[in-house]
């Protein structure tokens, strides 16, 4: 993530710039921050999860959105693009703009090396100001590992980790389950070299 300039932008200025920008940026209380380009693994994981969610919710009152839909977090004056969002019922739009939504129930981020600290700390803190926000998934794209945070009470969150291929993630706040094998389907990890030898690229199929 890279701040484009050291100056203050209003939310309106950011939206105007974003309309014509070649690449997406986030807005955090006056600053415009360029987003890192996506990887094949990042795209595959988000696609795998969104596809399974969309099928599971075909006859249920939930909506699934991927990374091109912008989220407005009013308390933090932040515009961001979560990788996957789940909303209960019909979406609520900000200022009647159909490209900006409010009040997701579940947010999913696929971690990259450059943003994983931000997504685990500052971004999670911002998301927690959303009244409807109940669950947060952080998915590693370089290895099999998922952190699942679920809200258990006021200012209280529970953490569960998943790191084995034969495990399945069950969401706490909506009726959905996905195996890690399906989540990481067709994802290729970088080879891990041991001393004196190199390993082949691993792929889950």
């Amino acid at each position: 993530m890279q701040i484009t300039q050291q100056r203050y932008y209003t939310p309106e200025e950011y939206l105007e710039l974003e309309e014509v920008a070649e690449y997406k940026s986030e807005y955090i209380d006056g600053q415009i921050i360029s987003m890192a380009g996506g990887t094949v693994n990042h795209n595959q994981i988000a696609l795998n999860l969104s596809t399974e969610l969309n099928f599971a919710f075909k006859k249920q009152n939930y909506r699934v959105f991927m990374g091109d839909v912008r989220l407005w977090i009013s308390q933090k004056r932040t515009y961001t693009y979560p990788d996957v969002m789940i909303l209960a019922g019909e979406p609520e739009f900000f200022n009647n703009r159909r490209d900006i939504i409010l009040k997701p129930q579940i947010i999913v981020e696929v971690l990259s090396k450059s943003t994983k600290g931000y997504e685990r700390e500052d971004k999670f803190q911002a998301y927690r100001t959303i009244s409807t926000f109940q669950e947060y998934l952080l998915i590693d794209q370089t290895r099999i590992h998922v952190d699942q945070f679920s809200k258990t009470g006021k200012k209280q969150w529970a953490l569960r980790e998943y790191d084995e291929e034969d495990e399945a993630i069950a969401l706490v706040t909506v009726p959905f389950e996905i195996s890690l094998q399906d989540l990481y389907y067709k994802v290729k990890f970088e080879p891990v070299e041991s001393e004196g030898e190199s390993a082949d690229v691993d792929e889950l199929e």
Side-chain angles (χ1 to χ4, degrees), residues 36-46 110-113 141-142:
T39 65
V40 171
N41 278 3
H42 186 287
N43 181 267
Q44 186 68 57
I45 291 168
V110 180
L111 302 177
S112 64
K113 291 180 181 179
Q141 64 173 297
T142 64

Side-chain angles (χ1 to χ4, degrees), residues 8-98:
Y8 178 86
Y9 292 88
T10 67
E12 294 74 22
E13 287 175 324
Y14 159 77
L15 292 174
E16 289 178 4
L17 290 170
E18 197 73 349
E19 290 290 339
V20 297
E22 186 175 353
Y23 301 103
K24 291 187 297 186
S25 297
E26 295 184 338
Y27 175 87
I28 303 177
D29 196 18
Q31 294 183 329
I32 295 177
I33 302 175
S34 300
M35 296 177 65
T39 65
V40 171
N41 278 3
H42 186 287
N43 181 267
Q44 186 68 57
I45 291 168
L47 178 62
N48 289 344
L49 179 59
S50 297
T51 300
E52 296 286 341
L53 284 166
N54 200 47
F55 180 78
F57 296 153
K58 189 174 181 180
K59 296 182 179 181
Q60 300 189 51
N61 197 24
Y62 296 102
R63 295 288 300 273
V64 181
F65 295 95
M66 288 187 66
D68 288 334
V69 177
R70 195 181 297 112
L71 171 66
W72 170 242
I73 308 172
S74 60
Q75 289 194 38
K76 293 294 183 178
R77 291 174 51 81
T78 293
Y79 282 110
T80 185
Y81 294 88
D83 290 319
V84 181
M85 290 184 285
I86 302 172
L87 285 76
E90 289 300 311
E92 181 178 336
F93 298 104
F94 179 64
N95 285 347
N96 294 317
R97 289 187 53 133
R98 299 188 70 83

Side-chain angles (χ1 to χ4, degrees), residues 53-178:
L53 284 166
N54 200 47
F55 180 78
F57 296 153
K58 189 174 181 180
K59 296 182 179 181
Q60 300 189 51
N61 197 24
Y62 296 102
R63 295 288 300 273
V64 181
F65 295 95
M66 288 187 66
D68 288 334
V69 177
R70 195 181 297 112
L71 171 66
W72 170 242
I73 308 172
S74 60
Q75 289 194 38
K76 293 294 183 178
R77 291 174 51 81
T78 293
Y79 282 110
T80 185
Y81 294 88
D83 290 319
V84 181
M85 290 184 285
I86 302 172
L87 285 76
E90 289 300 311
E92 181 178 336
F93 298 104
F94 179 64
N95 285 347
N96 294 317
R97 289 187 53 133
R98 299 188 70 83
D99 59 343
I100 306 173
I101 63 172
L102 305 166
K103 299 182 179 180
Q105 183 171 331
I106 298 171
I107 296 175
V108 181
E109 298 285 9
V110 180
L111 302 177
S112 64
K113 291 180 181 179
S114 62
T115 64
K116 61 183 180 181
Y118 166 63
E119 286 165 339
R120 182 177 294 277
E121 299 294 337
D122 293 349
K123 212 169 199 180
F124 187 23
Q125 185 180 56
Y127 289 155
R128 293 199 302 269
T129 67
I130 301 170
S131 61
T132 55
F133 180 54
Q134 299 288 318
E135 200 161 351
Y136 192 37
L137 290 184
L138 294 171
I139 304 173
D140 200 318
Q141 64 173 297
T142 64
R143 60 187 176 121
I144 298 176
H145 192 275
V146 180
D147 286 338
Q148 177 187 27
F149 294 90
S150 55
K151 191 171 184 178
T152 58
K154 187 177 181 180
K155 299 183 180 180
Q156 295 180 336
W157 291 77
L159 167 64
R160 181 170 178 181
E161 298 179 71
Y162 303 84
D163 58 8
E164 296 179 13
E165 185 179 336
D166 61 354
E167 289 184 292
I169 301 170
L171 296 182
V172 175
T173 56
V174 298
F176 175 79
E177 184 173 303
I178 185 172

